[in-house]
Amino acid sequence: MKQRGEDERFFTDFGGRFHGRLSAVVPARRGLGEATQTTGTAAQCRCLIKVEYHPDLMGLLEEGMLVAVKNFKPRTREGGERYTLMEVSRVWPIHYGLSGLSDQSYYPMQFEIIQQSESDWRREDSSVMMIEMTAVPINYDLIIYPDREEPEFRKGFSYPIPASEAHILNERMIHLMYNKSIIEKLGIRMEELTEEARGNPRLGVIKMFEAEESRIPLFIDFENLVRYHFGVFAFTGGGKSNLLSNILRRILYHTPDIKVVLFDISCEYPFLLLDILTDPSIPSKVILENRVESAEQLFNTTVKPRRYEDDKRALKGYELLLEEGRVGFYTKPRYVVPTYGDFLSQLKAQRGQSSDRPHYLDAINVIERAILGYMEEHGLTEDMRVDEAFVRYIDGVATEAVNQFRVSEKSGLYSWATTRSSLLEVIKMSRKEKAERRGGYSVEQILDLLEGEERLICISIADAVTIKELVIQLTRVMLARRKRRFQVKPYILFVFDEAQEFIPDMQSSGVDRRCSKQVETLLRQGRKYGLGGCVATQRLAYLNTNALQQLHTYFIGTLPRPYDRSLISSTFMIDEGILERTLEFAPGEWLLSSFIATGMENVPIFLRADNAEDELEAFLSRL
């Protein structure tokens, strides 16, 4: 697999088999009225490359390979030659005789030509056969210097020179492009890596040169992946849960300062992450919808891959979880103590109802100033729960204010102001309920876990309303606490599996709308405070697009619906010609593109992810 001449350091011609030239460059033109949801927006042009036919080439060329063609920009001051880099999106063979066939031709003649053409494909005959490739520029220039061993990759689009020779980047260059900066940042020593996830932070191998049994690993910057949010999109059966569990496993093994909160409405991750959940070095907790007393109960209530549905080896793992006290259940409190923010929100609602009564507004202003003054004096924030001392204080202030400004006893404001003392009983009962709770976790206790030693909290609750309320409360409080403390680390990743349940489009109402808005707020503001988000779904058409636009990294599997692919193309700036290739993906194959977490910014990478079930199988075998 060597390129003849000086360029063998950078290019390959597959042992003299590949000879191609850029035959056409077609600018991407879009009408002014053309909807962005139906148009790929990344590529400025599409390139057609014609390659001399060789019998072996069709088995060696693959979509996703990178091609370099000289461009019109002059050499650099140091004498560097500039090439436009483009990614192959389609490869197909052409036979001159078959191309000339017409459906109107005499039928026996058509069959005769087809039959005679079959043997041509096994000959090295470029007179009647050719290979064509379409490629999309990735908006990078490759600069090769005559006196340097390493090339330079410079961002920006350059128009390639038509009819110029096309060169395919070799394995060394691909590894250099995608992995060098990540390896240096993570301090990876390639010779020390193992095949297991614990000893290897790679996500999988790049789908390139596989015909020659080459395996180019792909590494990713986990901190940037988490902090700047990522998405996993694939249709049913595409391996979405497998990939996500694999990513989480690598994050927890190889980044000691990242925590994960997983909202698992399908209840499948207690099994998919069983090796992590039972690992003594990774403090973790599984929080279920109901109390579980035995491993059999846990086995029956969790979803497992088909091959493990009747595999009783998992019972031993579940027994370990229970023995180590890593399984709990969520208890929805009967007595909810309001926060200082709730008081201010209630006053805001009263203000809206009293806009035509100035004396009512005066009373509201007095109460509001009293609340804010009390919070400032005692160093309190809006997300904190009120206590007895505050209730007694504000009860007196509110009662005096409505009497002073002669608020009608029949008004809602008067009723609100004179009934604050009733919260004393709520606070008392809440304290008693918390003392009696055994094995259950409230929102406050889950937050305590998150700010403690736990690195993985898997919340597996099938009831949609319950888990959405948890999402709203946990993300709101954590964001408020980080803002108050100006805290960034440790990073916390909130994972929303089956994300259509948590961030539906904003036409929804009730708890669905509140949950979608809160997750959108987390994705908008969280990166400044070390709070990341992962969105995994198969139903892109039903998601809040404002939330999707906050994602900086995307794993894209098979998406049969054209609308979903068009939405990704327009939202994430990935050319539709590249996305069409995902229709041919087998489970476990992904298109990865990232603005910040990969070695090359916003360059689509075809990836064959490592199989998470291999890790599970090894773990179960040890049990």
Coordinates of all heavy atoms in Angstrom, one line a residue, residues 146-197:
P146 N 8.6 20.7 1.9 CA 9.7 19.9 1.3 C 10.7 19.4 2.4 O 11.3 18.4 2.2 CB 10.3 20.8 0.3 CG 10.0 22.2 0.7 CD 8.6 22.1 1.3
D147 N 10.9 20.2 3.4 CA 11.9 19.9 4.4 C 11.3 19.5 5.8 O 12.0 19.6 6.8 CB 12.8 21.1 4.6 CG 12.1 22.4 4.9 OD1 10.9 22.4 4.9 OD2 12.8 23.4 5.3
R148 N 10.0 19.2 5.8 CA 9.4 18.8 7.1 C 8.8 17.4 7.0 O 8.2 17.0 5.9 CB 8.3 19.7 7.5 CG 8.7 21.2 7.8 CD 7.6 21.9 8.3 NE 7.8 23.4 8.3 CZ 6.9 24.3 8.7 NH1 5.7 23.9 9.0 NH2 7.2 25.6 8.6
E149 N 8.9 16.6 8.1 CA 8.3 15.3 8.1 C 6.8 15.3 8.3 O 6.1 14.5 7.7 CB 8.9 14.5 9.2 CG 8.5 13.0 9.3 CD 8.9 12.2 8.1 OE1 9.9 12.6 7.4 OE2 8.2 11.2 7.8
E150 N 6.3 16.3 9.0 CA 4.9 16.4 9.3 C 4.3 17.5 8.5 O 4.8 18.6 8.3 CB 4.7 16.7 10.8 CG 5.2 15.7 11.8 CD 4.5 14.4 11.7 OE1 3.4 14.4 11.2 OE2 5.0 13.3 12.1
P151 N 3.1 17.2 7.9 CA 2.4 18.2 7.1 C 1.6 19.2 8.1 O 1.6 19.0 9.3 CB 1.4 17.4 6.3 CG 1.1 16.2 7.2 CD 2.4 15.9 7.9
E152 N 0.9 20.1 7.5 CA 0.1 21.1 8.2 C -1.4 21.0 7.7 O -1.6 20.9 6.5 CB 0.6 22.5 8.1 CG -0.2 23.5 8.8 CD 0.2 24.9 8.6 OE1 1.3 25.1 8.0 OE2 -0.5 25.9 9.0
F153 N -2.3 21.1 8.6 CA -3.7 21.1 8.2 C -4.2 22.5 8.5 O -4.2 22.9 9.7 CB -4.5 20.1 8.9 CG -4.1 18.7 8.7 CD1 -3.2 18.0 9.6 CD2 -4.4 18.0 7.5 CE1 -2.8 16.7 9.4 CE2 -3.9 16.7 7.3 CZ -3.1 16.1 8.2
R154 N -4.7 23.2 7.5 CA -5.1 24.6 7.7 C -6.6 24.8 7.3 O -7.0 24.4 6.2 CB -4.2 25.6 6.9 CG -4.5 27.0 7.2 CD -3.4 27.9 6.5 NE -2.1 27.6 7.0 CZ -1.0 28.3 6.6 NH1 -1.1 29.2 5.6 NH2 0.2 28.0 7.1
K155 N -7.4 25.3 8.2 CA -8.8 25.4 8.0 C -9.1 26.5 7.0 O -8.5 27.5 6.9 CB -9.5 25.7 9.3 CG -11.1 25.6 9.2 CD -11.7 25.6 10.6 CE -13.2 25.5 10.4 NZ -13.7 24.3 9.7
G156 N -10.1 26.2 6.2 CA -10.6 27.1 5.1 C -10.8 26.4 3.8 O -10.1 25.4 3.5
F157 N -11.7 27.0 3.0 CA -12.0 26.3 1.7 C -11.1 26.9 0.6 O -10.9 28.1 0.5 CB -13.4 26.6 1.3 CG -13.8 26.1 -0.1 CD1 -13.9 24.8 -0.3 CD2 -13.9 27.0 -1.1 CE1 -14.2 24.3 -1.6 CE2 -14.2 26.6 -2.4 CZ -14.4 25.2 -2.6
S158 N -10.5 26.0 -0.2 CA -9.7 26.4 -1.4 C -10.3 25.7 -2.6 O -10.6 24.5 -2.5 CB -8.3 26.1 -1.2 OG -7.7 26.7 0.0
Y159 N -10.4 26.4 -3.7 CA -11.0 25.8 -4.9 C -9.9 24.8 -5.5 O -8.8 25.3 -5.9 CB -11.4 26.8 -5.9 CG -12.4 26.4 -6.9 CD1 -13.8 26.6 -6.6 CD2 -12.0 25.8 -8.1 CE1 -14.7 26.2 -7.6 CE2 -13.0 25.3 -9.0 CZ -14.3 25.5 -8.7 OH -15.3 25.1 -9.6
P160 N -10.2 23.6 -5.7 CA -9.3 22.6 -6.3 C -9.1 22.9 -7.8 O -10.0 23.4 -8.5 CB -9.9 21.3 -6.0 CG -11.3 21.5 -5.9 CD -11.5 22.9 -5.3
I161 N -8.0 22.5 -8.3 CA -7.7 22.7 -9.8 C -8.3 21.5 -10.5 O -7.8 20.3 -10.3 CB -6.2 22.8 -10.0 CG1 -5.6 23.9 -9.2 CG2 -5.9 22.9 -11.5 CD1 -4.1 24.0 -9.3
P162 N -9.3 21.7 -11.4 CA -9.8 20.6 -12.2 C -8.7 20.0 -13.1 O -7.8 20.6 -13.5 CB -10.9 21.3 -13.1 CG -11.2 22.5 -12.3 CD -10.0 23.0 -11.6
A163 N -8.8 18.7 -13.3 CA -7.9 17.8 -14.0 C -6.6 17.5 -13.3 O -5.8 16.8 -13.8 CB -7.6 18.5 -15.4
S164 N -6.5 18.0 -12.0 CA -5.3 17.7 -11.3 C -5.4 16.2 -10.8 O -6.5 15.7 -10.6 CB -5.2 18.6 -10.1 OG -4.9 19.9 -10.5
E165 N -4.2 15.7 -10.4 CA -4.1 14.3 -9.9 C -4.7 14.2 -8.5 O -4.5 15.1 -7.7 CB -2.7 13.8 -9.9 CG -2.6 12.4 -9.6 CD -1.1 11.9 -9.7 OE1 -0.3 12.7 -10.1 OE2 -0.9 10.7 -9.4
A166 N -5.5 13.2 -8.3 CA -6.1 13.0 -7.0 C -5.2 12.0 -6.2 O -4.8 11.0 -6.7 CB -7.5 12.4 -7.1
H167 N -5.0 12.3 -4.9 CA -4.2 11.4 -4.0 C -5.0 11.0 -2.8 O -5.7 11.8 -2.2 CB -3.0 12.2 -3.5 CG -2.1 12.8 -4.6 ND1 -1.1 12.1 -5.3 CD2 -2.2 14.0 -5.2 CE1 -0.6 12.9 -6.2 NE2 -1.2 14.1 -6.1
I168 N -4.9 9.7 -2.5 CA -5.6 9.2 -1.3 C -4.7 9.2 -0.1 O -3.6 8.7 -0.2 CB -6.2 7.8 -1.5 CG1 -7.3 7.9 -2.6 CG2 -6.7 7.2 -0.2 CD1 -7.9 6.5 -2.9
L169 N -5.1 9.8 1.0 CA -4.3 9.9 2.2 C -4.1 8.5 2.8 O -5.1 7.7 2.8 CB -4.9 10.8 3.3 CG -4.5 12.3 3.2 CD1 -5.0 12.9 1.9 CD2 -5.2 13.0 4.4
N170 N -2.9 8.2 3.2 CA -2.6 6.8 3.7 C -3.0 6.7 5.2 O -3.4 7.6 5.9 CB -1.2 6.4 3.5 CG -0.2 7.4 4.2 OD1 -0.5 8.0 5.2 ND2 1.0 7.5 3.7
E171 N -2.8 5.5 5.8 CA -3.2 5.2 7.1 C -2.5 6.1 8.1 O -3.1 6.6 9.1 CB -2.8 3.8 7.5 CG -3.6 2.7 6.7 CD -3.1 1.3 7.1 OE1 -3.2 1.0 8.3 OE2 -2.8 0.6 6.1
R172 N -1.2 6.4 7.9 CA -0.4 7.2 8.8 C -1.0 8.6 8.9 O -1.2 9.2 10.0 CB 1.0 7.3 8.4 CG 1.9 8.3 9.1 CD 3.3 8.4 8.6 NE 4.0 9.5 9.1 CZ 4.0 10.7 8.6 NH1 3.3 10.9 7.5 NH2 4.7 11.7 9.1
M173 N -1.4 9.1 7.7 CA -2.0 10.5 7.7 C -3.4 10.5 8.4 O -3.7 11.5 9.1 CB -2.1 11.0 6.3 CG -0.8 11.3 5.6 SD -0.2 12.9 6.3 CE -1.3 14.0 5.5
I174 N -4.2 9.5 8.2 CA -5.5 9.5 8.8 C -5.3 9.4 10.4 O -6.0 10.2 11.1 CB -6.3 8.2 8.3 CG1 -6.5 8.3 6.8 CG2 -7.6 8.1 9.1 CD1 -7.3 9.6 6.4
H175 N -4.4 8.6 10.8 CA -4.1 8.5 12.3 C -3.6 9.9 12.8 O -4.0 10.3 13.9 CB -3.1 7.4 12.5 CG -2.8 7.2 14.0 ND1 -3.7 6.7 14.9 CD2 -1.7 7.5 14.7 CE1 -3.2 6.6 16.1 NE2 -2.0 7.1 16.0
L176 N -2.8 10.5 12.0 CA -2.2 11.8 12.4 C -3.3 12.9 12.5 O -3.4 13.6 13.5 CB -1.1 12.2 11.4 CG -0.4 13.5 11.7 CD1 0.5 13.4 12.9 CD2 0.4 13.9 10.5
M177 N -4.2 12.9 11.5 CA -5.2 13.9 11.4 C -6.2 13.8 12.6 O -6.5 14.8 13.3 CB -6.0 13.8 10.1 CG -5.4 14.3 8.9 SD -6.4 14.1 7.5 CE -7.9 15.0 7.9
Y178 N -6.7 12.6 12.8 CA -7.8 12.4 13.8 C -7.3 12.2 15.2 O -8.1 12.4 16.1 CB -8.7 11.2 13.3 CG -9.4 11.5 12.0 CD1 -9.6 10.4 11.1 CD2 -9.9 12.7 11.7 CE1 -10.3 10.7 9.9 CE2 -10.6 12.9 10.6 CZ -10.8 11.9 9.7 OH -11.5 12.1 8.5
N179 N -6.1 11.7 15.4 CA -5.7 11.3 16.8 C -4.6 12.0 17.4 O -4.5 12.0 18.6 CB -5.4 9.8 16.7 CG -6.6 8.9 16.5 OD1 -7.7 9.2 16.9 ND2 -6.4 7.8 15.7
K180 N -3.7 12.6 16.7 CA -2.5 13.2 17.3 C -2.8 14.1 18.4 O -2.2 14.0 19.5 CB -1.6 13.9 16.2 CG -0.3 14.4 16.7 CD 0.5 15.1 15.7 CE 1.8 15.6 16.3 NZ 2.6 16.4 15.3
S181 N -3.6 15.1 18.2 CA -3.8 16.1 19.2 C -4.5 15.5 20.4 O -4.3 15.9 21.6 CB -4.7 17.3 18.7 OG -6.0 16.8 18.2
I182 N -5.4 14.5 20.2 CA -6.1 13.9 21.3 C -5.2 13.0 22.1 O -5.2 13.0 23.4 CB -7.3 13.0 20.8 CG1 -8.2 13.8 19.9 CG2 -8.1 12.4 22.0 CD1 -8.9 15.0 20.5
I183 N -4.3 12.3 21.4 CA -3.3 11.4 22.1 C -2.4 12.3 23.0 O -2.1 11.9 24.2 CB -2.5 10.6 21.1 CG1 -3.4 9.5 20.5 CG2 -1.3 10.0 21.7 CD1 -2.7 8.8 19.4
E184 N -2.0 13.4 22.5 CA -1.1 14.3 23.3 C -1.8 14.9 24.5 O -1.3 14.9 25.6 CB -0.6 15.4 22.4 CG 0.4 14.9 21.3 CD 0.8 16.0 20.4 OE1 0.2 17.1 20.4 OE2 1.7 15.8 19.5
K185 N -3.1 15.3 24.3 CA -3.8 15.8 25.4 C -4.1 14.8 26.5 O -4.0 15.1 27.7 CB -5.1 16.5 24.9 CG -6.0 17.1 26.0 CD -7.2 17.8 25.5 CE -8.0 18.4 26.6 NZ -9.2 19.1 26.1
L186 N -4.5 13.6 26.1 CA -4.9 12.6 27.1 C -3.7 11.8 27.6 O -3.8 11.0 28.6 CB -5.8 11.6 26.5 CG -7.2 12.1 26.0 CD1 -8.1 11.0 25.4 CD2 -7.9 12.9 27.1
G187 N -2.5 12.1 27.0 CA -1.3 11.3 27.5 C -1.3 9.9 27.2 O -0.9 9.0 28.0
I188 N -1.9 9.5 26.1 CA -2.1 8.1 25.7 C -0.7 7.5 25.2 O -0.1 8.1 24.4 CB -3.1 7.9 24.6 CG1 -4.5 8.3 25.2 CG2 -3.2 6.5 24.1 CD1 -5.6 8.4 24.1
R189 N -0.4 6.3 25.7 CA 0.8 5.6 25.2 C 0.3 4.4 24.4 O -0.2 3.4 25.0 CB 1.7 5.2 26.4 CG 2.3 6.4 27.2 CD 3.0 5.9 28.4 NE 4.2 5.1 28.0 CZ 5.4 5.7 27.7 NH1 5.6 7.0 27.8 NH2 6.4 4.9 27.4
M190 N 0.4 4.5 23.1 CA -0.2 3.5 22.2 C 0.3 2.1 22.6 O -0.4 1.1 22.5 CB 0.2 3.8 20.8 CG -0.4 5.1 20.3 SD -2.2 5.1 20.3 CE -2.6 3.9 19.0
E191 N 1.6 1.9 22.9 CA 2.1 0.6 23.2 C 1.6 -0.1 24.4 O 1.7 -1.3 24.7 CB 3.7 0.6 23.3 CG 4.2 1.4 24.4 CD 4.3 2.9 24.2 OE1 3.8 3.4 23.1 OE2 4.9 3.6 25.0
E192 N 0.9 0.7 25.3 CA 0.4 0.2 26.6 C -1.1 -0.1 26.5 O -1.7 -0.6 27.5 CB 0.7 1.2 27.7 CG 2.1 1.5 28.0 CD 2.4 2.5 29.1 OE1 1.3 3.0 29.6 OE2 3.5 2.8 29.4
L193 N -1.7 0.2 25.4 CA -3.2 0.0 25.3 C -3.5 -1.5 25.2 O -2.8 -2.3 24.7 CB -3.7 0.7 24.1 CG -3.6 2.2 24.1 CD1 -4.2 2.8 22.8 CD2 -4.2 2.9 25.3
T194 N -4.7 -1.8 25.8 CA -5.2 -3.2 25.7 C -6.5 -3.2 24.9 O -6.9 -2.2 24.4 CB -5.5 -3.7 27.1 OG1 -6.6 -3.0 27.7 CG2 -4.2 -3.6 28.0
E195 N -7.1 -4.4 24.8 CA -8.3 -4.5 24.0 C -9.5 -4.1 24.9 O -10.6 -3.8 24.4 CB -8.5 -5.9 23.5 CG -7.6 -6.3 22.3 CD -7.8 -5.4 21.1 OE1 -9.0 -5.1 20.8 OE2 -6.8 -5.0 20.5
E196 N -9.4 -4.2 26.2 CA -10.5 -4.0 27.1 C -10.7 -2.5 27.3 O -9.8 -1.7 27.2 CB -10.3 -4.6 28.5 CG -10.2 -6.1 28.4 CD -10.1 -6.7 29.8 OE1 -9.8 -6.0 30.7 OE2 -10.2 -8.0 29.9
A197 N -12.0 -2.1 27.6 CA -12.3 -0.7 27.8 C -11.5 0.0 28.9 O -11.2 1.2 28.8 CB -13.8 -0.5 28.1

